[in-house]
Amino acid sequence: MPAERGQILLVEDDPTTAGTMAQRLRIEGYGVEVATGAVEAAASLERRVPDLLLSDLHLPDGSGEELFLSQRSRLAGTPVLVMTAYAGVDQAIRLMKAGADDFLVKPVEIQDLLGRVGALMARRVVPAADATLGVSAAIRRIEATVRRAAPSDCPVLLLGETGTGKEVAAKLLHRLSPRAAAPFVAVNCAAIPAELAESEVFGHERGAFTGAAMRRIGCAERAGAGTLFLDEVAELAPGLQAKLLRLLEGREYTRVGGSGTLAFHARVVAATNADLDQLVRDGRFREDLLYRLDVIRIEIPPLRMRRDDIVPLARQFLANASLASARGIRGLDSRAERALEEADWRGNARELRNRVERAAALADGPWVGVDDLLGGTASNGASPVAAVGTLAEAVTDAERRAVSAALAAASGEVEVAAGILGVGRSTLFEKIRKLGLR
Ligand SMILES: Nc1ncnc2c1ncn2[C@@H]1O[C@H](COP(=O)(O)OP(=O)(O)OP(=O)(O)O)[C@@H](O)[C@H]1O
């Protein structure tokens, strides 16, 4: 029977009880392995850690308590449900204090068992299964487009708010493409200073300009036959827009200060959270370049428009948070999951990831709660706006305080601070530079 809903290790010495429970759990879609005693259970846990341990406390060759305590480190992240006769309730409570999750009093009511098993399975930390982008209908449609686009060489334009996962989608496209073995090179068009942009993309020859002490290989060359990901493409300076257009049209380029032309083999994937059509209308982005980049357009909706993705993403982020397993965190409690589903997530998946990682570091029990996730924002501590002269000064002042507070809350981690502020990394880098904060 495939363990569609998860694998359970059932430790129960009475064959009739074990048989009835296992049969019923299998009908519900769980995979069940039965161990008849502590030794057999320990051997099974050594072979494979289940998604849930369901164990009687009274075993012929030891106790469920000893089994749990001796296997605790192996069971980190695995929900544990113990069964006990009424007389053993004290022991069950002691075990819950030591980290077991729930208990059932024997004789076990089958509906009670199914309810508790279902609840614990839903709360467990689920490791990232594969490369899929999410479970919502909207993101599945997007993933289908990515899969269809992967085999071709056509440029792809990814649109969406900051943190929606444009780079994640670009990497998936690359992994699924015949170019997967070649490099994926990301260049953040907003983060490179204008005067270095050309050399960043095309490279330069030694002595091409003051300070060019050595030849430099640009992103176009490093990408080889792989994928060149142009993030925040709307930020490209006009001069570089023209050069990029020539690169896409002629499939060749020259290093800055060089004379020979080099062939360009990579596939171009561009991304932006800006409205490129509007920028074209405003004369700030070349129409001919947009036409070249916009062959397959994929728009990733904000997280609040695909709320079904929130909890699975949060669980995945928690499973991947190194601190979570080190601190014995087992999952998100159900109130926390409901609260996550209702929040606005202006910073999208990036903000969600940052919140979950922070909570994994702060939570003091095995289950992450609402307060760990959503309690206190970085800007709570900010003082009221000081009296300043002009509106521009007031805005800069408020920005400086918000950015400083977010950086402090994020211990200087720009990516984390960007999530708190609901802006992209590069936007924040730019702000930090402009505000003279580093
Ligand atoms: N579908 C997803 N699955 C797993 N993680 C995701 C997903 N979408 C986004 N993330 C996570 O959210 C964060 C932001 O994702 P990403 O950098 O791809 O967003 P973006 O849209 O490119 O952001 P920006 O516009 O700021 O460059 C990353 O940490 C990424 O791992």
Side-chain angles (χ1 to χ4, degrees):
M1 168 76 60
E4 285 161 41
R5 299 181 67 190
Q7 180 70 26
I8 297 173
L9 175 60
L10 168 60
V11 193
E12 167 61 62
D13 60 312
D14 179 67
T16 315
T17 311
T20 315
M21 285 175 132
Q23 188 188 31
R24 192 55 216 273
L25 287 164
R26 286 185 186 124
I27 290 170
E28 294 297 316
Y30 300 105
V32 183
E33 183 183 339
V34 178
T36 55
V39 173
E40 207 181 317
S44 163
L45 286 171
E46 238 165 68
R47 284 194 307 275
R48 170 186 186 178
V49 178
D51 297 310
L52 183 137
L53 174 68
L54 172 60
S55 176
D56 193 0
L57 281 185
H58 182 79
L59 298 170
D61 56 350
S63 79
E65 183 168 9
E66 282 159 12
L67 173 70
F68 171 69
L69 295 175
S70 65
Q71 300 287 327
R72 199 155 39 166
S73 58
R74 187 168 280 141
L75 288 168
T78 304
V80 175
L81 177 56
V82 294
M83 301 178 281
T84 177
Y86 188 71
V89 167
D90 282 355
Q91 198 187 8
I93 291 172
R94 199 164 62 231
L95 263 188
M96 284 185 66
K97 286 193 179 140
D101 299 281
D102 205 351
F103 71 94
L104 287 159
V105 176
K106 287 177 119 179
V108 170
E109 277 270 341
I110 215 77
Q111 285 311 325
D112 194 17
L113 168 75
L114 296 179
R116 283 170 204 271
V117 166
L120 288 175
M121 282 288 193
R123 282 160 56 184
R124 78 194 198 277
V125 173
V126 182
D130 56 15
T132 54
L133 297 177
V135 300
S136 68
I139 208 77
R140 280 177 172 273
R141 275 196 297 276
I142 284 164
E143 195 172 317
T145 311
V146 167
R147 287 179 189 278
R148 275 198 306 276
S152 84
D153 286 335
C154 289
V156 172
L157 179 62
L158 290 157
L159 302 175
E161 285 181 12
T162 182
T164 43
K166 296 184 292 297
E167 184 160 347
V168 171
K171 285 184 176 155
L172 176 64
L173 180 82
H174 174 73
R175 273 205 305 280
L176 295 171
S177 79
R179 299 169 178 271
F184 173 92
V185 174
V187 48
N188 189 325
C189 303
I192 14 173
E195 60 283 8
L196 290 181
E198 195 181 338
S199 122
E200 175 78 22
V201 178
F202 302 109
H204 63 239
E205 294 295 349
R206 183 165 173 234
F209 46 83
T210 322
M214 285 194 300
R215 169 190 275 179
R216 175 172 190 195
I217 304 298
C219 309
E221 198 168 343
R222 269 192 284 129
T227 302
L228 179 62
F229 177 58
L230 300 170
D231 200 5
E232 316 243 8
V233 74
E235 305 294 324
L236 273 182
L240 207 59
Q241 289 183 27
K243 294 210 161 88
L244 186 64
L245 178 66
R246 279 205 291 283
L247 176 75
L248 293 176
E249 281 177 341
R251 306 287 310 175
E252 52 182 35
Y253 63 98
T254 309
R255 293 195 195 109
V256 178
S259 47
T261 52
L262 298 164
F264 177 62
H265 300 291
R267 176 191 207 170
V268 170
V269 176
T272 181
N273 53 27
D275 181 346
L276 277 182
D277 301 309
Q278 185 60 45
L279 290 180
V280 166
R281 283 194 290 279
D282 296 345
R284 287 161 58 199
F285 199 84
R286 293 182 69 119
E287 186 170 17
D288 43 10
L289 178 58
L290 176 58
Y291 179 74
R292 283 274 165 196
L293 294 172
D294 189 10
V295 179
I296 300 174
R297 179 182 284 220
I298 300 179
E299 289 189 46
I300 307 191
L303 202 49
R304 61 187 171 280
M305 308 288 284
R306 47 182 171 102
R307 292 193 183 270
D308 289 351
D309 286 329
I310 296 176
V311 168
L313 271 180
R315 289 184 186 160
Q316 179 184 327
F317 294 147
L318 189 61
N320 291 342
S322 49
L323 268 175
S325 55
R327 301 185 71 243
I329 291 190
R330 287 156 177 259
L332 302 157
D333 77 24
S334 38
R335 270 187 62 227
E337 292 192 341
R338 295 295 76 77
L340 290 183
E341 274 174 340
E342 281 159 23
D344 221 23
W345 303 118
R346 278 174 304 140
N348 294 295
R350 177 177 296 114
E351 186 187 2
L352 177 63
R353 198 195 72 184
N354 294 335
R355 283 276 169 188
V356 168
E357 286 179 355
R358 198 183 64 151
L362 298 180
D364 28 270
W367 296 101
V368 174
V370 180
D371 291 345
D372 303 317
L373 282 162
L374 301 175
T377 56
S379 47
N380 278 353
S383 56
V385 177
V388 282
T390 65
L391 183 58
E393 284 169 334
V395 170
T396 308
D397 191 47
E399 278 189 335
R400 179 175 290 112
R401 275 186 288 105
V403 171
S404 307
L407 283 169
S411 311
E413 289 278 334
V414 175
E415 170 127 6
V416 179
I420 293 170
L421 293 165
V423 298
R425 271 165 310 192
S426 42
T427 310
L428 186 55
F429 270 119
E430 188 57 17
K431 283 263 177 266
I432 291 170
R433 198 181 58 76
K434 279 206 182 127
L435 295 166
L437 290 172
R438 275 207 185 152

